[in-house]
Amino acid sequence: MPRFMNKNQVFLVSTREDVVLFCNEVLHKYTTVQRVYDFNCVSHNTDGIIIYDACKEAETLSFLVKAHKFTCPFIIFISPLLNEDIQRALRLFTNLCFSSITNMVTKRSFADFAERFFAACNDDCVIKGKQMCKTENQTVIHNETINGLFAGVSPQIRNFRASIRSVSTVDTPVFLLGETGCGKTVAARLIHDLSVRKKGPFIPVPISEFAASINESTFFGKTEGAYTDAKYDIGYFKQADHGSLFLDEVGTCRLNQQEKLLRFADEKTFTPVGSSKPVKVDARIILATNANIKDMIQKGTMRLDFFHRFDNNVLTIPPLRERPEDIPYIAKQYLNDNKIKKFLTPTAIERLCEFNWTGNIRDLHHCLDRTTLACSKERIDSDDLDFGYLA
């Protein structure tokens, strides 16, 4: 394979004549070019580039089922005469199967097509992973993650990834907002791992799990004999020294707890229960909640000064239902990470994209868990998907 091509790179083109001329006159000088109608005749690890002419519905459906096994680049001509549902399924499936996609609408000339083809293949654009570049008739889209997390190509998730990178370069508090299952804990850990504190501890504090009567000692620690049967405990805050303290579900904090957190944030000191000696701690604070902050402030269940103390960097994780174009990438990432040797058909992917994921990414992962466990086939169809008890 030539250096200028990525494996599993696909080019979707709309003019058959330009493809044929380009392959005959130019591309064959750089690599082997095979034009196929029957994938049974081609090895999965074939060298060179495969040209596939998606012009008939039956053969195209067959292509969708088998293409995921190939490791070579594709140039795919999608005929405008194909059924719109087939065209949509083909584009959805390429999102899952290929590492980068280039839509090329050829309107000018063969020379223009060739120039834009090589522009999309050069090292700066593809090999080095430029996320998206646009010209008049071309869009190059690359799936991207941060350490394998938050996959997708939607504007919402790209903006969120940029925000994660940005807040990781500073040491001020971060407030993560988002619905249940959208990845707040994952995002908090990622911010820590990308920051200058990455060698220090990351201490998650599940605030909602603690009873009000023991919160203070759980947070700040206690001395032996501080109360009946009390034993020495360093506490969560001291454990986070020189690292990051992640306060999860901070929306469940009572007003008196918010006051104590405010004092700690201002002074970076606290006094363990049963002691009179203040303890100083150097820890970055990351907070998260799935509650509606504005409603809480309006109802008086969250202090306005508490929110303002930690609103340096407020990041909202977009819900999955608002970015269905990311679902093929998230599904592929999950199957790969868990070494699941199965694949989703185009109709299965389309059904996943249409579902209303109230539990967001966690809900999608659980669906894939149930489905891959119950499905004995390598191929997962739409009817095999198990959306769970509430679906």
Side-chain angles (χ1 to χ4, degrees), residues 293-320:
I293 297 294
K294 292 180 180 179
D295 285 351
M296 291 187 68
I297 292 173
Q298 190 172 17
K299 293 175 182 177
T301 55
M302 177 174 284
R303 296 171 50 140
L304 183 60
D305 57 346
F306 176 82
F307 176 71
H308 283 320
R309 181 60 186 80
F310 300 107
D311 70 351
N312 308 61
N313 307 287
V314 179
L315 275 61
T316 301
I317 305 178
L320 196 54

Side-chain angles (χ1 to χ4, degrees), residues 71-261:
T71 60
C72 56
F74 281 80
I75 297 177
I76 304 173
F77 164 71
I78 301 180
S79 171
L81 301 178
L82 276 175
N83 179 285
E84 288 186 3
D85 291 337
I86 297 296
Q87 292 189 48
R88 183 171 64 252
L90 179 58
R91 285 181 165 83
L92 275 174
F93 198 69
T94 55
N95 286 344
L96 183 70
C97 290
F98 300 105
S99 59
S100 62
I101 302 167
T102 305
N103 292 307
M104 304 186 76
V105 182
T106 54
K107 293 181 178 179
R108 296 179 182 174
S109 65
F110 158 70
D112 177 59
F113 174 84
E115 179 182 352
R116 287 184 286 112
F117 179 87
F118 280 107
C121 287
N122 68 31
D123 289 349
D124 289 335
C125 184
V126 175
I127 300 300
K128 294 181 181 178
K130 186 175 181 179
Q131 183 180 347
M132 178 176 284
C133 63
K134 292 185 178 181
T135 63
E136 181 180 352
N137 296 314
Q138 175 183 332
T139 302
V140 182
I141 302 173
H142 301 273
N143 180 30
E144 188 180 322
T145 65
I146 305 178
N147 294 355
L149 303 170
F150 297 106
V153 297
S154 68
Q156 298 97 313
I157 202 63
R158 287 190 283 112
N159 290 338
F160 180 72
R161 286 196 299 259
S163 298
I164 287 282
R165 293 188 181 94
S166 177
V167 300
S168 298
T169 63
V170 296
D171 205 36
T172 49
V174 179
F175 213 133
L176 294 166
L177 307 180
E179 298 177 0
T180 297
C182 65
K184 296 184 292 295
T185 301
V186 173
R189 179 76 207 209
L190 184 57
I191 291 169
H192 170 79
D193 289 343
L194 295 174
S195 73
V196 294
R197 296 179 179 268
K198 61 185 176 183
K199 293 183 179 180
F202 173 80
I203 305 299
V205 184
I207 292 177
S208 60
E209 295 182 8
F210 301 129
S213 59
I214 63 170
N215 259 343
E216 187 171 349
S217 62
T218 304
F219 290 160
F220 304 130
K222 57 183 180 290
T223 61
E224 188 168 352
Y227 52 85
T228 304
D229 297 329
K231 296 182 179 180
Y232 174 75
D233 181 10
I234 192 175
Y236 278 116
F237 281 42
K238 182 60 178 176
Q239 291 179 49
D241 196 18
H242 302 298
S244 300
L245 182 71
F246 174 47
L247 304 178
D248 195 13
E249 297 306 337
V250 74
T252 61
C253 269
R254 294 174 174 82
L255 292 176
N256 65 321
Q257 297 164 353
Q258 294 176 29
E259 182 179 356
K260 294 171 183 176
L261 291 174

